[in-house]
Amino acid sequence: MFRTAEGHRSQRNSTRRGRSGRSGLRAAAGAAAAAGVFLAAGCSSSGDSGPGEAAGGVPVVHQGKLTTCTHLPYPPFQFEQNGKVVGFDVALIDLVAQNLKVEQKILDTPFENFKTGAFLNSGQCDLAAAGMTITDERKKNVDFSIPYFDATQALLATKKSGITSLDDVKAKSARLGAQAGTTGESYAKSQGFNPVAFESSDAVLNGLRTGQVDAVVIDYPVVQGWLKDKANSDQFVLGTKAIETGEKYGFSVKKGNSALLAAIDKAITTAKADGTYNKLYEQWIGPLPQVKP
Ligand code: ARG
């Protein structure tokens, strides 16, 4: 289930490859991922060193690296572009890595690991960054950084379904989808739905495209990103009612790893104070949210 070494292909890889991408580029990146290589540019996949220490005595699972577990793709937070994983989360963790004088290395892992913290506990990764909402349930297994992003959920429906709200989904007995193990899925369940569970955000979008579902519930910033693409905005429409879940994203570390947590919190706080956060927000997410009076 976990890609650590070359040539180890998981069930999940074949699924990802099977639903494959829009472009040859994406397919190529997918193939690289399926080969089990680490995804950050500039890092060799071989010669991984054992545990070590970064600047300030912060422990790291691989000497000279800050190893991040993520779950791809989750644009605009982490996604592959020209064979490299980029995005808002990637940029923020790069700031942490810079302070620690190491290089960030990114590993794509199944989403359920984010709840259990298995990959942190087993020493595969130092931290997880995955557009992940801080929840009490997850807090039982991992420690979270200070929040770095406010999110809500959104409903996205096919235009031809005529759906503009969850009430419509109910009234029309339409098929709803969500990403497995996410807060979007829990929200849909809490509203009495039994959504079709897709393994990744890509699969959620594909489910809509191919008519497996009529509408989906997923984090709003992801939908915002999708709708920038005309192919999507031609076919899909955002629900008219905001789904204000008041979610906050956090990065997670192994329980008790207070040294790394402090380094992450410091990087977030500094970036917010010196304008770097806003710059990255505009670069990856879009215009800054209006401050509510
Ligand atoms: N914010 C949601 C959650 O924490 C969705 C995160 C999905 N992230 C991902 N990289 N696929 O449940």
Side-chain angles (χ1 to χ4, degrees), residues 154-157 162-168 237-243:
L155 182 79
L156 188 69
I163 291 168
T164 59
S165 68
L166 279 172
D167 290 341
D168 288 347
V237 57
L238 179 68
T240 45
K241 269 190 228 160
I243 307 177

Side-chain angles (χ1 to χ4, degrees), residues 71 74 78 111 130-133 138 179 181-183 219 247 249:
H71 180 264
Y74 213 59
Q78 48 269 136
F111 192 75
M132 184 182 20
T133 305
R138 292 172 184 167
Q179 186 184 336
T182 62
T183 47
D219 293 23
E247 290 172 59
Y249 291 173

Side-chain angles (χ1 to χ4, degrees), residues 4-77:
T4 50
E6 292 198 21
H8 288 215
R9 189 186 302 165
S10 68
Q11 176 65 38
R12 177 165 179 269
N13 289 332
S14 16
T15 325
R16 291 188 70 222
R17 278 147 58 89
R19 5 164 252 283
S20 159
R22 302 169 282 271
S23 65
L25 193 62
R26 164 109 186 84
V37 297
F38 282 98
L39 292 156
C43 305
S44 75
S45 59
S46 57
D48 272 333
S49 46
E53 257 186 22
V58 173
V60 287
V61 295
H62 294 297
Q63 179 66 41
K65 311 270 180 229
L66 185 62
T67 311
T68 299
C69 271
T70 196
H71 180 264
L72 296 170
Y74 213 59
F77 301 97

